[in-house]
Amino acid sequence: SPGTEWVSAAERPGGSLLTRQLQELWRRSRGTLAPQRLLFEVTNASVVSERSSKYVLYTIYLIRSGQFDKAPATIARRYSDFEQLNRRLRCRFSCDMASVAFPRKRLRRNFTAETIAKRSRAFEQFLSHLHSIDEIRRSPEFLEFFFLPDLQAAQRLTCTGMYREALATWANAYRLQDRLGVCSSGRFLLTLAGLAVCHQELDQLSEAHGCCEQALQLLEAQGSHPLLGPFLQAHVHLAWKVGKDKRHSEARLQDLREAGLPLQQQPSLKECLIKEPLD
């Protein structure tokens, strides 16, 4: 699918090697994104009471127009999350945002059925309007509003060995990035690494192999990349386990050896996943 320019943690001090290299890697594929129409539908709004606060949690499906999604991409966000997105986008895109409506905070009656229903429609319109503006649709502020919380949660779950829960979260992050058209970004490669690791830990070796194959197709043209060695080594191991052809990956690993890459010191996919800062 067409790429999009990804402004990553590389622009901030302390951006990791992975994100710095990825920024350059995908810069070439910028800007030609012809968006498929996306619909944003609030499917549920529930009042959550915690010890010190009470808020409404809105569940939103991202739906491709004219298609039936067997497994929808979903997010759950509260008013303050939308408010933060609105504020960040108005800081960066003040001209584009001038025509975008955002529902005002009310001093009271925030939890009536009428207010919640009105807000639900307003949030659907707000996200649709943002998605229709090219610069905003491709911005990390907009994109990460959707999938960064899932990536962070999936990383935490993977680190603590909760692979089944992590797998569901990586899978939702995959669907979100797919719907948003950013399947050539660095975050997407990290998502494929997460899926591969969790499938492998759960002994779903064919699925893990498929994730490595997809990542290596994205990395096909790259002579060097922080995730290339780890994905190749995982692919060779999994191909051997499931009886698939591993010669192409072995040849690419040999090329890396001859180029002087110390493959014995390469981190595993799981180590890459755990160490990558997701802020």
Side-chain angles (χ1 to χ4, degrees), residues 43-55:
T43 58
N44 186 45
S46 53
V47 178
V48 179
S49 292
E50 291 178 345
R51 273 181 302 233
S52 57
S53 67
K54 186 177 174 186
Y55 58 87

Side-chain angles (χ1 to χ4, degrees), residues 42 44-49 55-59 77 111 116:
V42 175
N44 186 45
S46 53
V47 178
V48 179
S49 292
Y55 58 87
V56 181
L57 194 65
Y58 298 87
T59 301
R77 300 288 181 271
F111 302 104
I116 291 170

Side-chain angles (χ1 to χ4, degrees), residues 150-168:
D150 268 6
L151 293 182
Q152 291 167 333
Q155 186 186 50
R156 281 194 302 275
L157 289 164
T158 307
C159 288
T160 52
M162 298 178 72
Y163 299 114
R164 200 164 298 285
E165 295 86 346
L167 182 62

Side-chain angles (χ1 to χ4, degrees), residues 85-188:
L85 173 66
N86 181 53
R87 202 164 49 243
R88 291 180 73 193
L89 290 174
R90 285 185 196 280
C91 277
R92 188 168 165 206
F93 303 103
S94 53
C95 292
D96 283 324
M97 289 295 291
S99 62
V100 178
F102 186 77
R104 259 186 254 140
K105 196 150 203 165
R106 298 174 65 121
L107 293 174
R108 51 200 176 80
R109 296 179 60 79
N110 280 302
F111 302 104
T112 66
E114 184 188 11
T115 298
I116 291 170
K118 278 184 180 169
R119 255 190 204 164
S120 297
R121 301 293 81 79
F123 286 143
E124 290 173 351
Q125 289 160 6
F126 174 66
L127 294 176
S128 293
H129 197 162
L130 295 178
H131 188 258
S132 72
I133 302 168
D134 281 1
E135 287 300 308
I136 290 176
R137 185 177 67 249
R138 292 199 294 265
S139 71
E141 290 90 349
F142 178 71
L143 293 166
E144 291 189 349
F145 168 79
F146 291 95
F147 56 78
L148 188 59
D150 268 6
L151 293 182
Q152 291 167 333
Q155 186 186 50
R156 281 194 302 275
L157 289 164
T158 307
C159 288
T160 52
M162 298 178 72
Y163 299 114
R164 200 164 298 285
E165 295 86 346
L167 182 62
T169 313
W170 288 118
N172 192 58
Y174 178 105
R175 290 191 293 270
L176 288 166
Q177 289 168 90
D178 176 51
R179 304 300 185 274
L180 292 160
V182 285
C183 287
S184 57
S185 78
R187 301 293 202 199
F188 191 68

